[in-house]
Amino acid sequence: MSAILDQVKLYMSQALEGKAELSEELVNEFGELCKQLIKRHFEPQKNEFSIRMSSVGRPLCQQQLEMAGAPRKAASYEFMMQMLIGDMVEAAAYIIMRGAGVQVMDYQKPVSLNIGGIKLNGTIDLKIRNSGVFDIKSASPYSFDNKFNSYKGFAAINEDDPFGYIPQAYLYAQAEGDKFGGWIVINKSTGEWAVLEPPLVDNAYRRKALEKTEENI
């Protein structure tokens, strides 16, 4: 089991018993993060196509349609609410990790990488001392159980990756000059956490992710 997950579970168990504290500094930081998140979700949405680390690994045909200006299906109010809840869950996870003593070095840090003849931009979720770059995800019960917390683990995502999570992860790591540590995932319905780490020897996955990115660009 991941040391990060052990720290979080212990900290939250202690909090339930009234034996753990959350500093005023972290409380205020969470408040500021939530203010920024809800403001962002209510700002007018820009529809200009751009290539970013978070999207370049998606199916190529989907990106080509977006680049060509194909009309998008109108999103429902439920979708907006789901995205807002997910963002706030991820912000809470970051604050909880800080409170639990996880050595977070960077959070929401802009990065860039010259690849495929362009400067590709992105934003890493977390960099943890001696552990690498991590991505925080909030997940539905189905996604949590069948991908991020399944017995197949990393292989489940590698076999079916329509959102381009693996290229995204290794692009972040490559841009930061560090290893990819894994995904920190929270089940939005149950509150359960999982830390899904890549194989110890993952050079082939990194190489494939970078090659796919160059091909898509």
Side-chain angles (χ1 to χ4, degrees):
M1 185 182 292
S2 166
I4 296 168
L5 190 55
D6 286 342
Q7 285 179 263
V8 166
K9 285 185 173 182
L10 177 61
Y11 177 68
M12 296 187 78
S13 296
Q14 290 173 336
L16 286 170
E17 298 172 359
K19 298 177 181 177
E21 295 183 356
L22 188 65
S23 71
E24 194 68 22
E25 176 188 356
L26 289 177
V27 171
N28 291 334
E29 186 174 355
F30 180 65
E32 288 300 318
L33 288 173
C34 288
K35 284 164 60 177
Q36 293 168 19
L37 288 173
I38 199 162
K39 180 181 178 182
R40 189 180 73 210
H41 279 278
F42 279 88
E43 288 175 345
Q45 299 298 306
K46 296 179 181 179
N47 293 319
E48 297 94 343
F49 177 80
S50 64
I51 304 175
R52 289 186 59 82
M53 293 182 187
S54 58
S55 61
V56 71
R58 291 182 300 158
L60 186 57
C61 57
Q62 182 183 18
Q63 297 186 70
Q64 289 172 328
L65 283 169
E66 290 179 5
M67 185 174 66
R72 298 183 181 183
K73 181 181 178 181
S76 65
Y77 80 90
E78 299 103 312
F79 176 76
M80 178 181 176
M81 196 67 203
Q82 288 171 359
M83 294 301 101
L84 179 58
I85 291 170
D87 284 347
M88 289 187 170
V89 167
E90 292 169 19
Y94 158 66
I95 293 297
I96 289 167
M97 282 187 280
R98 289 274 307 279
V102 176
Q103 292 185 301
V104 178
M105 299 173 63
D106 292 301
Y107 175 67
Q108 293 293 306
K109 177 184 177 181
V111 293
S112 63
L113 180 68
N114 292 320
I115 186 170
I118 68 170
K119 182 180 180 181
L120 189 61
N121 296 317
T123 305
I124 63 171
D125 281 347
L126 287 176
K127 184 174 180 179
I128 296 175
R129 187 179 301 278
N130 300 324
S131 298
V133 173
F134 287 80
D135 214 27
I136 307 178
K137 301 288 187 191
S138 55
S140 67
Y142 179 86
S143 180
F144 185 90
D145 291 336
N146 292 281
K147 281 198 171 184
F148 294 107
N149 202 35
S150 74
Y151 73 95
K152 294 178 69 176
F154 188 90
I157 296 178
N158 188 54
E159 290 173 6
D160 182 22
D161 189 19
F163 299 108
Y165 287 159
I166 289 181
Q168 176 187 13
Y170 284 107
L171 285 167
Y172 290 160
Q174 187 76 8
E176 191 62 11
D178 205 343
K179 65 181 179 180
F180 172 53
W183 293 278
I184 297 168
V185 190
I186 300 92
N187 185 322
K188 286 187 285 190
S189 293
T190 66
E192 186 180 0
W193 287 51
V195 178
L196 176 53
E197 299 171 330
L200 289 176
V201 180
D202 64 347
N203 293 338
Y205 294 104
R206 181 187 287 254
R207 183 170 59 251
K208 183 179 178 181
L210 297 179
E211 288 173 352
K212 179 178 178 64
T213 299
E214 290 189 338
E215 179 183 342
N216 279 8
I217 291 171

